[in-house]
Amino acid sequence: MVKVKLTTKVDSDILVVGLTKVNNKLQIESNGAQLESVSLLATLTAIGATAKADEVIKLPGKNTKLVIFTGLGDGSSNLNAETLRRAAGAAARELHGHKMATFALPHKSVVELSAIAEGAALGAYTFTEFLGNTKAEQKAPLGSVSVYSKFTETAQAKAAAKRAEIIAEQTFLVRDLINTPPSHLTPDSFSQRLKKLSSKYGVKAEIITDSALKKSGFGGIIAVGQGSANPPRLLHVTYSPAKAKKRYAFVGKGITFDTGGLALKPANGMEAMKSDMSGAAAVIGAVFAIAQLKLPIAVDGWAPLAENMVSDNATRPSDVITIYGGKTVEVLNPDAEGRLVLADALVKAAEVGKKSGGLDGIIDVATLTGAQVVALGTRTSAVMTNNEEFSSQFLLAAEIAGESFWPMPLPVELRASLDSPVADLANIGDRMGGMLVAGLFLKEFIDPQTPWLHLDIAGPAYNEKNAHGYTPVGGTGIGLRSLVQLAELASSQS
Ligand code: BES
Ligand code: MN
Ligand code: ZN
């Protein structure tokens, strides 16, 4: 777990500063921290530094052992919080194996300071659980971040440092869960691990086992999990502060491995399907963070967990199942499994929400469709909704958090493609617009009166390309920060 503090002195032997290019000339941006800039600038020019985002250059220093230059792009006037967050993260990623570094990046407000602290902390991540000792030590992430700032004495600045630690701690949990292979992460071990953690944060947790799920009629979770030797679970966590201003339910897709079932996926690329529980990890991590931040917002987190496998018990194409609450679904394609487990959990979340006084919003988070990746790529996630106001509020939160989300429609004319001759609904419809069809399927299980968001994070949840900014290879943790920021926005409203 990375530590974050504020400082008015360069308090370590590694100094991180910004590099920009103004009127085609390199410029060092150190927020006023002293360094031997003339000789360093000459060296940087000589080696052809560009100051572009994700460029990180390490040089030996005089006052400190190392000076790390992180690219801020062109000109410092248009610096935004996300540019700073990414630049800090890119530098932190280059500091694996070191104990501590001082980040002296330019900032004019506590919002920007907060972004620097968060980015540096988020970059200080590696996944070493399955490496031998020597390799793990070499890859040990930066342990402590010190942010050089003149705002150190203000309460907001101190809160920002603490918040960065919390966001990083929970994002690392999400990334760890995503990166953990299915040999070591099953529906049961996922729920046990998080239940154990929940007590630490003052969050209640209950695990609904496969036998209880069967008895209560969770036909979606059972159908998806029945082909696996690792039985399904439904994990429910609750953070319920006294005098909560709002109550939300977060529901995350928790497929610990998606083979596609009898609609078996091709071997090539199937390994990435260990990340098919990213939504579940993100929503539980978000509840933990909201609890640690003591926000006056009640949240239920729901993680329907199953392993989608091939076996003589696996759900067949043409099987008809009954979702919790009674709607029947013809399973035409067992690889469209996420919507089945989510349907059960969404209905249950609404039922429980109603009992505790009604939900102000319900949000599902899922690596739901390949179509999402085709439409928006690997860095932008999709938002679908039944409530434009709620969606706008979320998009504002995502913007502040530095997570890229884009609104997508739920066109009524696509709904008919989900009609089934034998059941209330089929689990697949038109292939074209597959992301929207999946959203329309989920919408069938939502009370139209309750503001609802469906977040399809299929592309951004798992980074199979190079690391960038504060984003590592593998699990990214996408979704968590926007959910936490949404709760923070709701906390500050009357
Ligand atoms: N987990 C996949 C979606 C996915 C694909 C996530 C790529 C991340 C990267 C999901 O369960 C799935 O298989 N969806 C199918 C749905 C189809 C059968 C309607 C898809 O997108 O192909
Ligand atoms: Mn699938
Ligand atoms: Zn899936």
Side-chain angles (χ1 to χ4, degrees), residues 312-335:
D312 54 352
N313 293 320
T315 295
R316 294 154 290 248
S318 80
D319 278 356
V320 172
I321 64 172
T322 305
I323 300 298
Y324 186 76
K327 280 205 172 115
T328 58
V329 174
E330 183 185 14
V331 181
L332 292 177
N333 189 326
D335 196 13

Side-chain angles (χ1 to χ4, degrees), residues 369-420:
T369 64
Q372 186 280 324
V373 197
V374 175
L376 293 171
T378 54
R379 296 208 193 168
T380 301
S381 303
V383 188
M384 284 149 270
T385 189
N386 64 356
N387 185 307
E388 290 306 325
E389 199 184 320
F390 194 34
S391 175
S392 305
Q393 180 80 347
F394 177 82
L395 287 166
L396 172 65
E399 167 78 30
I400 297 170
E403 293 190 327
S404 174
F405 277 85
W406 200 255
M408 284 288 162
L410 292 171
V412 279
E413 62 274 18
L414 288 179
R415 168 59 188 83
S417 71
L418 286 165
D419 284 342
S420 161

